[in-house]
Amino acid sequence: MSTMDLVFVIVVSVTSFLSIPSCVIIVVMYMAIKSLRTTGRAMLVQLTIADLLTAIGNLMGVMWFLFRDSEILNSSMVYCEFHSALTIFSSIASFLWTTVTGISLYWAIVMNKPNTADKYWVHIWLICWVVPSAITVAALYMRVLGYDANLNQASWCWIDPGADLMVMWNFLTGKAWELMAYVLSVVLFGAVKLHLIRHKSMSKRVMGRQSGRKGNKVSNASAKLTFIPLVFIVIRLWGTVRFMWGFIDHDSASSPSASWIVPLQGFGDTAQGVCNFVMDVLFAQNVRRHLFRACAGGSENSPAERTCSGTGDNPKPRLGTISDCGQNVHQNRAFCETEN
């Protein structure tokens, strides 16, 4: 095993073991804390489930890379096909939920229709889970899943290079959805960010100093909207670069000299779960407060909790949302909570 192969194994293993508990914490908090059960959080939980499956699938990929020559794994392609199918399903679902979140934000804030996601929730849920399921089942049925044994660097199971219409399956089982998510994330989150900046400028001119608190909420929301697509693209970009490199020049991309990109892809494909935890739990004041209180053995119904959450004698807003910064100031807590 080369040095870069060892780096790949360590990076993917560590990132997987960080992402898996991070995803579990997000899901458990959503289920345990009633005040966090908003539409935006529901979308985050669905995305988190997809990222959890991706982390598990990539960890299985490391095991395949380490032990693919053993008698147990090499006796059949069942393990390879299962791990490939799992990562295909979870990756497409992750891309779809990321895109749907951006579309919902755009409708709620720019179009001023905050209840759109609630109205079409069943349709959204079915699209984001049924489409990946159908593609994965089709790939399994057509027996196009496999492993490229000619690669001179660490890799995992995906599409068999000898399959018919290999390039089409490469795009259908991941890359087309990934590129779509890149483009739509930049466009949609960028449109929302520009809308908030424009509203902040307008509020300053109309309300002067009285708009200071609202302006701070807009700044917080705008900053968060900058990081969402930026983090998503930066961590996932390396897999796309490696794929396009191999598509243009397979021999060069699969040579040992190009193995530096493999750990970066392994990190990016696995780190989405822990990145969601950092951005949507550790960087969200109200969620962080709930988490720390739970770790300290506190109760959500205690006097201290009621005071902090705004249900005591001197209530204050419990959650600030991007839509609170909107032109008509809806009491909607569905999307992108900002810090109080």
Side-chain angles (χ1 to χ4, degrees):
M1 181 184 296
S2 68
T3 301
M4 293 308 299
D5 289 347
L6 180 60
V7 172
F8 162 78
V9 170
I10 294 173
V11 167
V12 175
S13 299
V14 171
T15 310
S16 296
F17 283 119
L18 289 174
S19 284
I20 290 171
S22 297
C23 293
V24 171
I25 290 173
I26 292 174
V27 175
V28 169
M29 288 189 67
Y30 176 83
M31 296 173 62
I33 303 174
K34 187 176 181 180
S35 61
L36 298 182
R37 296 174 195 168
T38 63
T39 305
R41 287 280 160 190
M43 289 186 177
L44 173 63
V45 166
Q46 301 300 314
L47 174 62
T48 298
I49 292 172
D51 293 332
L52 172 63
L53 295 176
T54 299
I56 294 173
N58 288 340
L59 192 60
M60 291 180 65
V62 170
M63 299 301 293
W64 166 263
F65 172 69
L66 291 175
F67 303 109
R68 65 181 183 271
D69 294 328
S70 66
E71 293 184 3
I72 297 176
L73 294 185
N74 203 31
S75 60
S76 71
M77 290 294 291
V78 173
Y79 182 94
C80 176
E81 291 176 349
F82 177 79
H83 125 67
S84 177
L86 179 62
T87 52
I88 287 171
F89 169 77
S90 61
S91 296
I92 297 175
S94 179
F95 299 143
L96 288 175
W97 279 111
T98 300
T99 303
V100 164
T101 301
I103 294 173
S104 300
L105 276 169
Y106 180 85
W107 275 94
I109 298 169
V110 179
M111 303 300 293
N112 199 20
K113 296 181 179 180
N115 297 320
T116 302
D118 290 327
K119 183 178 180 181
Y120 296 105
W121 176 254
V122 174
H123 302 80
I124 292 171
W125 191 93
L126 287 174
I127 290 172
C128 291
W129 290 118
V130 172
V131 170
S133 299
I135 293 173
T136 304
V137 170
L140 285 168
Y141 178 77
M142 298 300 294
R143 304 193 65 83
V144 297
L145 305 182
Y147 178 75
D148 190 350
N150 296 321
L151 289 174
N152 295 312
Q153 53 193 225
S155 189
W156 45 88
C157 298
W158 185 24
I159 300 298
D160 187 342
D164 295 334
L165 303 175
M166 181 196 69
V167 175
M168 183 204 75
W169 282 107
N170 283 334
F171 279 97
L172 184 61
T173 57
K175 290 307 169 185
W177 306 99
E178 187 172 10
L179 293 172
M180 176 197 71
Y182 289 160
V183 174
L184 291 181
S185 293
V186 172
V187 172
L188 293 168
F189 284 100
V192 174
K193 180 178 172 66
L194 290 175
H195 176 83
L196 292 176
I197 293 174
R198 187 162 53 245
H199 175 73
K200 179 182 178 181
S201 177
M202 185 183 303
S203 297
K204 282 186 176 181
R205 290 197 302 268
V206 174
M207 301 179 64
R209 294 183 179 180
Q210 294 181 2
S211 65
R213 184 175 180 272
K214 186 179 291 186
N216 289 335
K217 291 171 72 176
V218 173
S219 297
N220 290 338
S222 181
K224 193 170 185 178
L225 285 171
T226 301
F227 282 107
I228 290 173
L230 182 63
V231 170
F232 170 68
I233 292 173
V234 167
I235 66 173
R236 298 289 315 208
L237 183 64
W238 302 106
T240 304
V241 170
R242 186 187 182 197
F243 171 76
M244 297 305 296
W245 188 358
F247 184 73
I248 296 171
D249 188 354
H250 182 271
D251 292 338
S252 174
S254 61
S255 66
S257 61
S259 59
W260 58 270
I261 201 171
V262 180
L264 293 174
Q265 179 186 2
F267 170 79
D269 288 357
T270 313
Q272 189 69 48
V274 69
C275 288
N276 288 340
F277 177 80
V278 171
M279 289 192 299
D280 295 291
V281 176
L282 297 185
F283 284 0
Q285 180 177 332
N286 64 297
V287 182
R288 190 170 65 244
R289 186 191 304 132
H290 283 299
L291 179 62
F292 290 164
R293 185 167 290 107
C295 292
S299 171
E300 189 173 357
N301 295 319
S302 66
E305 171 65 16
R306 290 197 299 270
T307 300
C308 291
S309 63
T311 58
D313 295 333
N314 297 305
K316 65 177 182 178
R318 176 163 49 192
L319 297 177
T321 67
I322 290 178
S323 54
D324 287 337
C325 306
Q327 194 166 2
N328 294 323
V329 194
H330 286 277
Q331 294 301 316
N332 169 45
R333 299 187 302 167
F335 302 103
C336 281
E337 299 150 1
T338 61
E339 295 190 4
N340 293 326

